[in-house]
Amino acid sequence: MKCSKCGTDNDINNSYCTKCGQKLINDNNNSRELIVVEEKKNSFSIEGKKIENKNDIEEAKKLGNISLGLFFLVPIISSLLSAIFPPLALLSGLCPMAGIVILIIGRVKYPEDKFLKGIMWGIIVCIILAIISMILFTIWCYVTCSSIDLSGCD
């Protein structure tokens, strides 16, 4: 079998070239398999999915960080500053939705990224806990406020 890299004739049972050490391929697709081996050296991967370059990995991280900031930090900061400038209170409601939209865009573009998956599950847990808290608060209000006499509040 002829080596695709250096052209040396090798025994048909050899897996690697005796001269240069190149992996030998048994079929006629030597050049195709050599390209696949070289592609693996020059690419990065996120959880098994081939990513073409580091910029894609960095973009996934940026989308995740923007999503986190919009979902958690901006509402906290805007609610604190709304006493000084009341229109900032609008950001408390709008920015978490924008954060979720950016997270969805990131998850669609990079479905196998672990960082974006972690952020997604963190936000889902926060939303579920908020819903449970609202339900429990409503039940608590109903139970405690039902004994209050409101007949004279007209």
Side-chain angles (χ1 to χ4, degrees):
M1 178 183 313
K2 197 169 200 158
C3 176
S4 63
K5 187 173 182 182
C6 69
T8 304
D9 284 326
N10 291 282
D11 185 63
I12 192 87
N13 295 326
N14 287 355
S15 296
Y16 296 92
C17 177
T18 55
K19 184 175 180 184
C20 69
Q22 173 67 38
K23 185 174 180 175
L24 300 173
I25 294 30
N26 238 352
D27 60 6
N28 292 332
N29 294 330
N30 287 344
S31 60
R32 185 183 61 80
E33 294 208 16
L34 179 61
I35 290 170
V36 171
V37 170
E38 288 177 1
E39 274 183 17
K40 288 180 183 174
K41 291 179 189 173
N42 297 327
S43 64
F44 301 91
S45 104
I46 297 176
E47 220 179 78
K49 181 183 178 196
K50 186 177 168 198
I51 301 296
E52 294 300 323
N53 56 39
K54 273 188 172 178
N55 291 337
D56 290 343
I57 296 170
E58 291 173 8
E59 185 179 344
K61 300 284 185 245
K62 283 179 188 175
L63 289 172
N65 288 328
I66 291 169
S67 177
L68 275 175
L70 287 173
F71 192 82
F72 291 109
L73 293 179
V74 173
I76 292 170
I77 294 169
S78 67
S79 62
L80 292 174
L81 295 176
S82 65
I84 299 168
F85 189 64
L88 283 177
L90 287 173
L91 295 177
S92 297
L94 296 176
C95 285
M97 288 184 277
I100 290 172
V101 169
I102 290 174
L103 179 65
I104 291 170
I105 291 169
R107 290 285 293 135
V108 168
K109 194 169 182 181
Y110 306 106
E112 298 299 321
D113 185 56
K114 288 182 180 181
F115 183 64
L116 290 174
K117 277 185 183 179
I119 293 171
M120 177 191 70
W121 283 110
I123 289 175
I124 288 171
V125 167
C126 287
I127 291 171
I128 290 171
L129 290 175
I131 291 170
I132 291 171
S133 298
M134 286 188 286
I135 292 170
L136 291 175
F137 182 73
T138 304
I139 292 170
W140 177 78
C141 284
Y142 181 75
V143 169
T144 57
C145 294
S146 64
S147 62
I148 298 174
D149 182 23
L150 299 174
S151 60
C153 294
D154 290 330

